């Protein structure tokens, strides 16, 4: 059975307790679109608070450490996220790769740590503008998929139950207002799909591949209709219900 479209809001380092009102509004709105799986990833301080305010949407973190506990000042582990009721974690976002020097190997270790406690995992991949202009976009993203995705039995089990998603986020499209051309999105999603099938067999054909990069209420329909696009990872347009819910509605319309 095909999984529902997955629309995930990444609040990044934005938000405060007053913004929980937006989360409540998103939660209420999401109840009108049951054919879509909706989730928010707020910053760590809001995670438990937001979790307690919502019922229809998933709640996840923007990162976790690869270790379960220990001397890692400032970090948060996957078991800690699980303990407070988080549903999933995003790993390998390009801002983490850039700001914290996260390699594919680190991203894979984080993903495996999250799967070990049955969290859902969204693994981000995407090329820079220089890599795209040089004609290397697909090779770069395929290599990221091969080296960042978890492997082993835990990974196969997560894929089988829909706990693993991939977000294709061209770095140059994040927060810039520039959206990838639909044809390029379709081609890249097909390339990622081929890697997933090579890694996980038939089950890899069902993994949701989200698009991320300046998605908003105006461009969401055309992106959600694109073959192979299983949802969206949304930054700026996830900060208010007014901006986010039209994206959810676009994903629901594509299901009709
Ligand atoms: C993101 O942060 O993953 C993202 C896609 O941001 P934006 O929607 O603002 O481009």
């Amino acid at each position: 059975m095909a999984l529902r479209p997955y629309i995930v809001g990444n609040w990044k380092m934005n938000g405060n307790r007053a913004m929980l009102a937006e989360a409540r509004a998103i939660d209420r709105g999401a109840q009108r679109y049951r054919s879509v799986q909706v989730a928010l990833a707020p910053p760590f301080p809001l995670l438990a608070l937001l979790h307690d305010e919502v019922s229809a949407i998933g709640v996840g973190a923007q990162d976790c450490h690869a270790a379960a506990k220990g001397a890692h000042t400032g970090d948060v582990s996957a078991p800690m996220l699980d303990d407070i009721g988080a549903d999933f974690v995003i790993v390998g976002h390009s801002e983490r790769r850039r700001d914290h020097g996260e390699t594919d190997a680190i991203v894979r270790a984080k993903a495996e740590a999250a799967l070990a406690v049955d969290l859902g995992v969204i693994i981000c991949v995407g090329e820079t503008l220089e890599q795209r202009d040089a004609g290397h976009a697909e090779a770069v993203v395929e290599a990221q998929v091969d080296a960042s995705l978890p492997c082993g039995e835990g990974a196969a089990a997560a894929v089988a139950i829909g706990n693993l998603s991939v977000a294709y986020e061209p770095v140059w499209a994040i927060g810039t207002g520039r959206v990838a051309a639909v044809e390029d999105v379709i081609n890249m999603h097909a390339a990622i799909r081929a890697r997933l099938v090579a890694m996980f067999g038939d089950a890899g054909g069902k993994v949701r591949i989200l698009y991320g990069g300046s998605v908003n209420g105006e461009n969401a329909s055309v992106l959600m209709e694109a073959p192979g696009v299983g949802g969206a990872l949304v930054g700026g347009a996830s900060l208010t219900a007014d901006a986010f819910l039209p994206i959810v509605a676009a994903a629901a319309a594509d299901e009709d």
Side-chain angles (χ1 to χ4, degrees):
M1 200 179 73
L3 295 163
R4 291 181 290 167
Y6 196 15
I7 305 295
V8 183
N10 170 17
W11 280 8
K12 311 193 187 197
M13 199 171 69
N14 297 296
N16 51 26
R17 283 178 295 168
M19 262 181 67
L20 294 174
E22 293 297 336
R24 286 194 295 273
I26 288 168
D27 188 57
R28 279 194 304 277
Q31 295 179 29
R32 297 199 301 271
Y33 305 106
R34 295 284 184 181
S35 63
V36 181
Q37 185 176 348
V38 182
L40 287 177
F44 286 133
L46 295 180
L47 200 48
L49 296 170
L50 198 151
H51 176 265
D52 290 346
E53 298 272 349
V54 299
S55 58
I57 65 171
V59 180
Q62 300 167 17
D63 180 48
C64 68
H65 197 278
K69 62 178 181 174
H72 301 288
T73 302
D75 280 313
V76 171
S77 74
M80 290 171 178
L81 297 176
D82 182 48
D83 184 50
I84 59 143
D87 303 298
F88 71 96
V89 60
I90 299 167
V91 294
H93 192 284
S94 61
E95 289 156 11
R96 301 268 339 154
R97 291 177 186 260
R98 180 196 66 204
D99 296 349
H100 300 273
E102 291 190 4
T103 61
D104 291 333
I106 292 172
V107 174
R108 168 177 280 164
K110 290 180 174 205
E112 289 178 345
L115 292 183
V117 291
D118 291 331
L119 288 173
V121 178
I122 300 172
I123 297 172
C124 301
V125 294
E127 81 285 357
T128 63
L129 193 55
E130 293 70 30
Q131 290 164 334
R132 174 156 288 275
D133 287 346
H136 299 150
E138 279 192 18
V140 165
V141 169
E142 286 168 350
Q144 286 178 335
V145 170
D146 286 351
S148 303
L149 262 68
C151 36
E153 272 178 34
V159 166
I161 60 170
N163 253 2
L164 189 74
S165 309
V166 175
Y168 167 54
E169 299 205 303
V171 176
W172 47 270
I174 296 178
T176 58
R178 289 185 61 188
V179 187
V182 175
E183 198 186 327
D184 290 337
V185 173
I186 294 169
N187 290 339
M188 190 64 86
H189 280 231
I192 294 170
R193 176 72 63 209
R195 297 311 311 146
L196 289 167
V197 170
M199 290 166 103
F200 301 111
D202 286 350
K206 299 194 180 77
V207 171
R208 284 174 295 193
I209 308 173
L210 318 182
Y211 169 77
S214 297
V215 177
N216 59 37
E218 275 86 60
N219 60 32
S221 291
V222 70
L223 288 163
M224 292 307 106
E225 281 165 14
V229 175
L233 182 54
V234 184
S238 70
L239 294 172
T240 64
D242 282 352
F244 194 50
L245 288 172
I247 300 171
V248 177
D254 187 46
E255 285 302 283
D256 292 342

